[in-house]
Amino acid sequence: MAAFLDWARDFPLVMVPLFVAMDPLGILPFVVSLLEPIREERRSAVIHIALVTGLVLGLLFLLLGRYLFQLLGIRLSDFLVAGGAILFVLALRELLSDRLPEPVAADELVAVVPIGTPLLVGPATISLLILYTSLYGVWLVVLAFLANIVIAWIVFSQAQRIAGFLGKGGLRALSKVANLLLAAIAVQLISRGVLDIVHRAGG
């Protein structure tokens, strides 16, 4: 019972930051633009391939991340600072960017690149997966990641309807808010890492 309560308490702490990092609503304008040249009957297959790509890539880094730490002799506090810095730079770049999706060729390989990666599962998501595996354990992070993949599938499957309802302005605003939250998460990770390093040095 105690273990279940711990999971219930920690799950939102992993689920929400991963949702912010993956940002399916924020990348929706790009997804709509990339899917537009593809035949309508093939779009569902493209979405499925994109989600499987993101899922496999995320699980690969999630499962191998802690072994990579051990192999390279990297402490968690070191990666908290480095990963947090990367997240902050990525979030800041997106916050300051006014890029709009551009038309692309009708190539179904867009399911793998760029939709599967780096749009859905990119450096920010990979960094969080590795970090949270060390902080909360593999299975909780796997569950939170799978839940976010399901959310992304729902969002992408209803891409045209959601984009039409929110409009470009609404989607862009959601993306900016998500990246602002991602920057705040990055600062939290850096602070935690620095405190651990200081404590280790003082000990």
Side-chain angles (χ1 to χ4, degrees):
M1 185 65 180
F4 175 78
L5 291 176
D6 288 340
W7 268 49
R9 180 197 63 203
D10 293 338
F11 183 78
L13 301 179
V14 180
M15 171 76 180
V16 174
L18 280 176
F19 176 78
V20 170
M22 295 171 73
D23 192 16
L25 288 172
I27 66 175
L28 198 56
F30 294 90
V31 174
V32 171
S33 176
L34 291 166
L35 291 178
E36 188 173 358
I38 296 172
R39 298 194 312 270
E40 188 171 352
E41 63 269 19
R42 289 293 301 161
R43 291 177 185 173
S44 294
V46 171
I47 290 172
H48 291 155
I49 293 171
L51 292 169
V52 170
T53 299
L55 176 63
V56 171
L57 183 65
L59 290 177
L60 183 65
F61 278 95
L62 191 156
L63 296 174
L64 297 180
R66 59 193 313 179
Y67 298 108
L68 187 62
F69 279 4
Q70 295 173 2
L71 180 65
L72 299 177
I74 299 174
R75 294 178 181 268
L76 176 60
S77 54
D78 301 329
F79 197 79
L80 282 171
V81 175
I86 291 172
L87 290 177
F88 186 80
V89 171
L90 291 172
L92 186 63
R93 185 186 67 182
E94 295 301 323
L95 281 169
L96 298 178
S97 172
D98 287 320
R99 292 176 303 170
L100 288 174
E102 297 179 359
V104 296
D107 187 348
E108 295 182 8
L109 288 177
V110 298
V112 178
V113 178
I115 299 178
T117 182
L119 287 179
L120 183 62
V121 177
T125 303
I126 290 170
S127 297
L128 280 179
L129 287 172
I130 297 174
L131 284 169
Y132 285 162
T133 300
S134 299
L135 290 172
Y136 297 101
V138 172
W139 295 112
L140 181 63
V141 181
V142 167
L143 185 61
F145 181 52
L146 290 176
N148 275 295
I149 289 291
V150 171
I151 292 173
W153 173 74
I154 294 171
V155 171
F156 292 170
S157 296
Q158 303 298 319
Q160 297 292 344
R161 293 181 181 178
I162 295 173
F165 176 74
L166 294 176
K168 290 184 178 180
L171 290 171
R172 182 177 293 182
L174 283 175
S175 180
K176 296 297 182 183
V177 170
N179 280 289
L180 183 61
L181 291 173
L182 187 61
I185 292 169
V187 171
Q188 182 186 56
L189 293 174
I190 293 171
S191 300
R192 182 168 180 172
V194 169
L195 287 175
D196 287 346
I197 292 172
V198 171
H199 179 74
R200 191 173 71 213

